Amino acid sequence: MLRRAVLSAILLSTVAACATGNTRARIGPDGLPLPTVYRINSQDAAAIPFRMLDGVNTLRAARGVPAVQLDAQLNAAAATHSRDMAIQNRPWHFGSDGSSPLDRLRRVGYSGQLIGEAISESYENEMQTLSVWMEDPDIRDVILDPSATRMGVAWLQEDAGKIWWTMVIAR
């Protein structure tokens, strides 16, 4: 009987140690918590452009400006740039061939006028990314520009989870 009690106590201690070990935050070399990876599955991929559009239009409505619509050509330009940023491994507005956001719109046949482009390198979902963009006054002005009528959004997620986001705002 004593043997069973000792074995049970050891087993419970082991299980308890495992359970508490998994609740500790993973800390990076800078002392900050490591990001939680947001994995984009096929269901999310189909919904993300519409969730982002709804988020942008909600923000625009709160500012009293007209809604924007998704545009397939702008989505294509955004996708090209997200892929290119991942290849370059840096978030910036110029392509590996020196192309600008305006060049990318011309390449997909968009005849309207570019208002601006928002980019991000993150592990965050689309709403967290939009929230961060809205904290930057220059990007916020692009997203809320009253003359905007069209929006494109795309991303590329690396195997390790990093997401390269691009949003294009135009008229």
Side-chain angles (χ1 to χ4, degrees):
M1 186 66 144
L2 181 59
R3 181 188 241 167
R4 279 190 193 166
V6 170
L7 287 175
S8 294
I10 291 171
L11 180 61
L12 287 174
S13 296
T14 303
V15 170
C18 290
T20 59
N22 290 337
T23 60
R24 293 181 55 187
R26 293 178 24 218
I27 304 297
D30 57 1
L32 298 173
L34 292 172
T36 302
V37 176
Y38 169 62
R39 290 280 177 198
I40 299 174
N41 60 38
S42 59
Q43 188 175 15
D44 287 329
I48 284 172
F50 300 102
R51 290 195 301 243
M52 185 70 89
L53 178 67
D54 288 345
V56 165
N57 282 333
T58 298
L59 293 166
R60 290 176 63 83
R63 183 60 66 90
V65 297
V68 294
Q69 297 177 347
L70 280 175
D71 185 285
Q73 290 174 315
L74 297 179
N75 286 344
T80 297
H81 193 54
S82 290
R83 186 173 39 258
D84 197 30
M85 285 190 299
I87 290 167
Q88 296 180 74
N89 195 34
R90 64 177 171 177
W92 74 323
H93 293 284
F94 295 96
S96 56
D97 61 357
S99 62
S100 70
L102 186 55
D103 294 330
R104 289 189 289 278
L105 266 59
R106 288 182 182 142
R107 287 178 184 167
V108 297
Y110 188 77
S111 60
Q113 185 176 11
L114 173 70
I115 293 174
E117 178 181 73
I119 58 173
S120 178
E121 164 195 23
S122 77
Y123 292 88
E124 298 172 325
N125 68 35
E126 64 281 359
M127 291 298 101
Q128 291 167 317
T129 300
L130 179 57
S131 177
V132 169
W133 284 339
M134 291 299 290
E135 291 174 11
D136 181 306
D138 294 330
I139 298 172
R140 183 175 54 243
D141 288 348
V142 167
I143 293 170
L144 300 178
D145 188 302
S147 68
T149 59
R150 299 278 187 253
M151 179 186 100
V153 64
W155 63 91
L156 181 127
Q157 185 164 37
E158 296 177 352
D159 292 340
K162 185 189 297 182
I163 306 170
W164 300 88
W165 294 100
T166 305
M167 177 191 288
V168 180
I169 302 289
R171 59 177 160 252

